Amino acid sequence: MENVLTAKNVKKVYGARGNIFTALTGIDLDIKKGEFVGIMGPSGAGKTTLLNIISTIDTPTSGEVLIGNSNIVNMKEEELSSFRRNKLGFMFQDFNLLDTLTVKENIILPLALSKINPKEIEKRANEVSMILGIEDILNKYPYEISGGQKQRTAAARAIINKPQLILADEPTGALDSKASTELLQAMSDLNENNDATIMMVTHDAFAASYCKRIIFIKDGSLFTELVRSGSRKEFFQMILDVLRTLGGDTSDII
Ligand code: ADP
Ligand code: MG
């Protein structure tokens, strides 16, 4: 399978002379097409730093990051914004929906600057809202829908441009357990049925158990990796075991 993401020896050093902090020590990471990868690790491990670099929001101090065949490290801002729009899908903990737009308008927002014709936009909006089960709320505003529906709207928005890679940062962080489960099932279906490639940062072992592979980082380095082979429940237990050996306050990470 082809790599969607290839990160080589990615380092991130914050600060200036005399007061520097190495947040990533030299990370190597490959994600193949069709994977659903979780990134876990204690607070301060470097998860957000890594996600921001892959999202093209931040740049590494050194190292290479390829998404598909594009080296995103040296891209100019203009090229980057079109790259983000066309190749990446984003989901955040706090949904990032615009309150003045309807659900449907929020979903099609990533296509606003594209050259895709209105008919095709309409068709895609219908497709993605069916996939996420939000076809009945397309004309509502974000303040009229539940947290779970907001996050499924955000998921629909993340996939409408058929991104090479979906990047999710704690997408269940603001959801109750029922809404979390529904969202994770939807993400898992997207991955299974639509061949979506997903990288999700989470501190939640239950959320992580929906992934097919988990990469654990600690102190800016790769700590270990788990690949799911058996049931989701077995995987959940394996994840808990690694989190225990990783240390830190488990009441926070479980
Ligand atoms: P995580 O998401 O795993 O909790 P982060 O990637 O946010 O960790 O942070 C990793 C480390 O880098 C932390 O020790 C954090 O304090 C430090 N850090 C993050 N951003 C900055 C910054 N802009 N300047 C200085 N240090 C930072
Ligand atoms: Mg973080």
Side-chain angles (χ1 to χ4, degrees):
M1 267 293 182
E2 68 196 273
N3 275 3
V4 166
L5 171 75
T6 313
K8 283 187 204 154
N9 203 14
V10 171
K11 268 190 200 166
K12 181 69 183 183
V13 179
Y14 287 116
R17 262 196 308 163
N19 186 24
I20 62 163
F21 180 81
T22 305
L24 297 176
T25 59
I27 296 255
D28 289 313
L29 171 64
D30 284 356
I31 296 181
K32 304 217 177 297
K33 187 166 164 42
E35 282 206 285
F36 185 0
V37 175
I39 307 286
M40 299 192 86
S43 181
K47 303 180 294 296
T48 298
T49 301
L50 180 63
L51 191 83
N52 286 346
I53 289 172
I54 295 168
S55 306
T56 78
I57 291 162
D58 200 355
T59 51
T61 306
S62 62
E64 257 181 57
V65 182
L66 300 175
I67 295 179
N69 295 319
S70 311
N71 185 347
I72 59 169
V73 174
N74 297 319
M75 272 188 197
K76 302 258 180 306
E77 188 47 47
E78 210 169 300
E79 204 183 345
L80 271 181
S81 57
S82 111
F83 182 83
R84 276 197 287 271
R85 223 169 33 237
N86 296 319
K87 307 286 176 154
L88 300 177
F90 295 98
M91 290 175 65
F92 305 93
Q93 175 167 351
D94 57 3
F95 322 125
N96 276 11
L97 300 178
L98 296 181
D99 278 329
T100 53
L101 299 183
T102 64
V103 164
K104 184 173 180 182
E105 288 163 347
N106 268 285
I107 292 174
I108 63 179
L109 200 56
L111 302 181
L113 290 169
S114 73
K115 295 190 179 70
I116 299 172
N117 74 53
K119 258 197 179 151
E120 171 67 17
I121 291 180
E122 186 74 14
K123 184 168 154 259
R124 286 211 204 166
N126 288 332
E127 273 168 18
V128 296
S129 33
M130 297 272 274
I131 293 173
L132 275 309
I134 49 173
E135 61 275 39
D136 296 336
I137 55 164
L138 288 176
N139 295 320
K140 296 203 173 196
Y141 287 87
Y143 56 82
E144 299 176 301
I145 64 179
S146 70
Q149 290 170 326
K150 281 184 197 165
Q151 196 57 301
R152 280 183 284 135
T153 301
R157 182 189 56 190
I159 61 169
I160 198 159
N161 60 350
K162 304 188 175 166
Q164 281 190 315
L165 180 61
I166 298 166
L167 298 164
D169 193 3
E170 300 280 1
T172 60
L175 302 181
D176 63 29
S177 72
K178 181 168 175 284
S180 289
T181 306
E182 282 170 7
L183 177 76
L184 291 161
Q185 193 53 58
M187 290 173 73
S188 182
D189 291 347
L190 263 180
N191 169 252
E192 292 285 333
N193 306 333
N194 300 67
D195 214 24
T197 310
I198 308 173
M199 173 174 156
M200 173 173 78
V201 169
T202 183
H203 69 273
D204 177 51
F206 176 75
S209 70
Y210 281 80
C211 298
K212 291 178 181 161
R213 178 161 72 107
I214 312 287
I215 290 159
F216 295 86
I217 57 178
K218 184 181 185 180
D219 301 331
S221 306
L222 296 182
F223 179 72
T224 191
E225 174 179 281
L226 277 182
V227 176
R228 177 165 157 190
S229 52
S231 70
R232 193 187 60 72
K233 280 199 172 142
E234 284 165 6
F235 198 43
F236 176 65
Q237 286 306 324
M238 289 166 71
I239 294 166
L240 291 183
D241 289 344
V242 175
L243 291 179
R244 268 180 214 109
T245 64
L246 257 175
D249 179 5
T250 39
S251 67
D252 172 53
I253 44 189
I254 294 177

Tab-separated table of all heavy atoms in Angstrom, residues 14 21 23 42-49, ligand 1:
chain	number	residue	atom	x	y	z
A	14	TYR	N	11.483	24.206	20.555
A	14	TYR	CA	10.852	25.491	20.858
A	14	TYR	C	11.848	26.388	21.575
A	14	TYR	O	12.730	25.908	22.271
A	14	TYR	CB	9.646	25.307	21.784
A	14	TYR	CG	8.431	24.696	21.129
A	14	TYR	CD1	7.947	23.455	21.541
A	14	TYR	CD2	7.741	25.375	20.126
A	14	TYR	CE1	6.808	22.906	20.966
A	14	TYR	CE2	6.600	24.830	19.543
A	14	TYR	CZ	6.146	23.600	19.973
A	14	TYR	OH	5.025	23.057	19.404
A	21	PHE	N	13.597	24.026	24.271
A	21	PHE	CA	12.931	22.802	24.711
A	21	PHE	C	12.661	21.932	23.492
A	21	PHE	O	12.062	22.381	22.519
A	21	PHE	CB	11.620	23.138	25.424
A	21	PHE	CG	10.904	21.914	25.898
A	21	PHE	CD1	11.276	21.289	27.085
A	21	PHE	CD2	9.882	21.348	25.134
A	21	PHE	CE1	10.632	20.138	27.519
A	21	PHE	CE2	9.243	20.191	25.560
A	21	PHE	CZ	9.619	19.593	26.755
A	23	ALA	N	10.617	19.375	21.830
A	23	ALA	CA	9.294	18.753	21.965
A	23	ALA	C	9.211	17.453	21.167
A	23	ALA	O	8.508	16.532	21.563
A	23	ALA	CB	8.212	19.723	21.513
A	42	PRO	N	1.281	10.579	27.252
A	42	PRO	CA	0.956	11.465	28.362
A	42	PRO	C	0.922	12.927	27.934
A	42	PRO	O	1.474	13.285	26.892
A	42	PRO	CB	2.110	11.242	29.351
A	42	PRO	CG	2.822	10.027	28.896
A	42	PRO	CD	2.536	9.855	27.446
A	43	SER	N	0.319	13.723	28.757
A	43	SER	CA	0.281	15.160	28.529
A	43	SER	C	1.718	15.683	28.401
A	43	SER	O	2.587	15.309	29.172
A	43	SER	CB	-0.435	15.790	29.720
A	43	SER	OG	-0.516	17.156	29.550
A	44	GLY	N	1.967	16.504	27.397
A	44	GLY	CA	3.301	17.056	27.189
A	44	GLY	C	4.197	16.177	26.327
A	44	GLY	O	5.352	16.526	26.059
A	45	ALA	N	3.683	15.024	25.869
A	45	ALA	CA	4.498	14.078	25.093
A	45	ALA	C	4.883	14.628	23.712
A	45	ALA	O	5.878	14.201	23.130
A	45	ALA	CB	3.750	12.757	24.924
A	46	GLY	N	4.065	15.530	23.185
A	46	GLY	CA	4.349	16.083	21.862
A	46	GLY	C	3.279	15.758	20.824
A	46	GLY	O	3.478	15.994	19.631
A	47	LYS	N	2.137	15.267	21.268
A	47	LYS	CA	1.071	14.852	20.334
A	47	LYS	C	0.555	16.017	19.494
A	47	LYS	O	0.453	15.920	18.276
A	47	LYS	CB	-0.114	14.235	21.110
A	47	LYS	CG	0.257	13.055	21.989
A	47	LYS	CD	-0.944	12.493	22.707
A	47	LYS	CE	-1.583	13.429	23.728
A	47	LYS	NZ	-0.730	13.775	24.886
A	48	THR	N	0.241	17.112	20.175
A	48	THR	CA	-0.309	18.267	19.457
A	48	THR	C	0.746	18.860	18.529
A	48	THR	O	0.450	19.233	17.386
A	48	THR	CB	-0.830	19.325	20.454
A	48	THR	OG1	-1.881	18.721	21.212
A	48	THR	CG2	-1.366	20.550	19.743
A	49	THR	N	1.979	18.902	19.013
A	49	THR	CA	3.075	19.413	18.185
A	49	THR	C	3.176	18.594	16.894
A	49	THR	O	3.257	19.152	15.795
A	49	THR	CB	4.404	19.336	18.968
A	49	THR	OG1	4.263	20.103	20.166
A	49	THR	CG2	5.566	19.860	18.155
B	1	ADP	P1	0.752	17.026	24.134
B	1	ADP	O1	-0.191	17.460	23.068
B	1	ADP	O2	1.245	15.635	23.980
B	1	ADP	O3	0.194	17.246	25.506
B	1	ADP	P2	2.380	19.223	23.175
B	1	ADP	O4	2.743	18.848	21.808
B	1	ADP	O5	1.295	20.221	23.336
B	1	ADP	O6	2.073	17.930	24.054
B	1	ADP	O7	3.654	19.792	23.919
B	1	ADP	C1	4.878	19.065	23.998
B	1	ADP	C2	5.863	19.866	24.829
B	1	ADP	O8	6.265	21.037	24.136
B	1	ADP	C3	5.292	20.326	26.163
B	1	ADP	O9	6.302	20.201	27.149
B	1	ADP	C4	4.951	21.769	25.924
B	1	ADP	O10	5.053	22.511	27.114
B	1	ADP	C5	5.991	22.189	24.909
B	1	ADP	N1	5.464	23.244	24.024
B	1	ADP	C6	4.370	23.148	23.231
B	1	ADP	N2	4.184	24.273	22.524
B	1	ADP	C7	5.193	25.123	22.905
B	1	ADP	C8	5.565	26.462	22.541
B	1	ADP	N3	4.868	27.147	21.618
B	1	ADP	N4	6.651	26.982	23.120
B	1	ADP	C9	7.362	26.294	24.029
B	1	ADP	N5	7.091	25.040	24.415
B	1	ADP	C10	6.003	24.448	23.864
